[in-house]
Amino acid sequence: MRALVLALALLAVLKVWFQDSLYRSATEEALVSAYRTRAADACAHRAPAPAGAVDWSAEAEPRVAVGNPAIPVHVWQFEHELWNARFRQPYLILSVTRTGISCTYDILADTADIARS
């Protein structure tokens, strides 16, 4: 009987994990397809001269991130005006591995920041 309960618990955990990973991947695909062109345009306008030669719409590898770790706000400062930008807002990050340049596009603010890694 104990083995049956453990097996059912394991199946429940696997089901929740599978649904969560499926939801996250579908959400990431939807955000990338919806905002990739806007992010590429914002990154192209924001990029300095050497990074301006990058074709952000074709070369860049996109990924979605929640929160921007570059914003200097701590988790306990929840009344800070930038807390949502640091921990809750979605960002689309376009990375070009051959040059080491990445562009972080803030989806809600429609702004971009270029960084060299």
Side-chain angles (χ1 to χ4, degrees), residues 45-62:
H45 285 68
R46 178 80 175 153
V54 173
D55 183 13
W56 291 103
S57 60
E59 294 181 50
E61 179 181 326

Side-chain angles (χ1 to χ4, degrees), residues 19-57:
Q19 287 179 336
D20 183 60
S21 62
L22 186 66
Y23 169 77
R24 288 180 187 270
S25 66
T27 303
E28 182 171 4
E29 285 181 29
L31 285 172
V32 166
S33 66
Y35 291 101
R36 184 176 182 137
T37 56
R38 289 184 193 174
D41 291 341
C43 293
H45 285 68
R46 178 80 175 153
V54 173
D55 183 13
W56 291 103
S57 60

Side-chain angles (χ1 to χ4, degrees), residues 80-97:
H80 195 281
E81 62 187 17
L82 294 176
W83 194 89
N84 281 335
R86 168 62 176 96
F87 294 105
R88 296 184 70 191
Q89 288 182 1
Y91 292 89
L92 183 61
I93 300 171
L94 300 175
S95 301
V96 179
T97 56

